[in-house]
Amino acid sequence: MDELARPIPLGAKGRLEAQPLTNAVGDHALLVRQEGQARALLTGEAAPAGSTRDRVVVVPMDEDVELRMDGDALAVWLATGSVRSRPGRGAGGDDLPGWASAIGLLLVVVTIGFAVLGSVTFFSWLLRVLS
């Protein structure tokens, strides 16, 4: 094995590391470990005859490795980052100034008012045309 490349942090707290590996014949893999202990190995196999897609192989190395087979796993992972509160913000948006909320409410009320006024104008015109 060549000199090890720099590990990539994984997970919410970055305690897991993905270590890129290359063996003597040039096969590549990722070794997932925590505090120096191997947890899982990700590698690939050549595409079976008649297919153009290589097969992804996940090898769990302890009992705490979870394999998810559903298509929702990626969506759940992506959503946790977008709906979780940002650092420095409270869960309810506590640091939002009152004047910003007032301006936002005013803009919503004005928009709804224009929508109602436009609807009344259009339908009164339509009734005059059809009468």
Side-chain angles (χ1 to χ4, degrees), residues 35-50:
E35 298 172 0
Q37 184 177 3
R39 304 287 308 275
L41 181 73
L42 267 63
T43 188
E45 288 181 349

Side-chain angles (χ1 to χ4, degrees), residues 26-87:
D27 290 336
H28 303 284
L30 277 177
L31 177 65
V32 178
R33 61 187 181 179
Q34 183 175 3
E35 298 172 0
Q37 184 177 3
R39 304 287 308 275
L41 181 73
L42 267 63
T43 188
E45 288 181 349
S51 176
T52 58
R53 294 178 60 171
D54 289 347
R55 186 170 289 161
V56 176
V57 179
V58 179
V59 182
M61 299 182 134
D62 68 21
E63 65 278 353
D64 289 330
V65 175
E66 181 179 344
L67 296 176
R68 295 187 183 171
M69 305 302 274
D70 60 353
D72 293 335
L74 177 62
V76 168
W77 181 78
L78 290 172
T80 57
S82 62
V83 295
R84 189 176 295 165
S85 63
R86 294 186 186 128

Side-chain angles (χ1 to χ4, degrees), residues 97-110:
W99 59 265
S101 295
I103 290 175
L105 178 63
L106 181 66
L107 289 174
V108 169
V109 169
V110 167

Side-chain angles (χ1 to χ4, degrees), residues 1-2 7 13 18 31 43 46 60-61 66 73 75 86 89 98 114 119 124 130:
M1 219 176 336
D2 296 339
K13 305 221 187 282
L31 177 65
T43 188
M61 299 182 134
E66 181 179 344
R86 294 186 186 128
R89 286 192 172 259
F114 278 131
S119 297
S124 64
L130 294 178

Side-chain angles (χ1 to χ4, degrees), residues 3 5 11 64 68 73 98 116 121:
E3 183 178 317
D64 289 330
R68 295 187 183 171
V116 169
T121 305

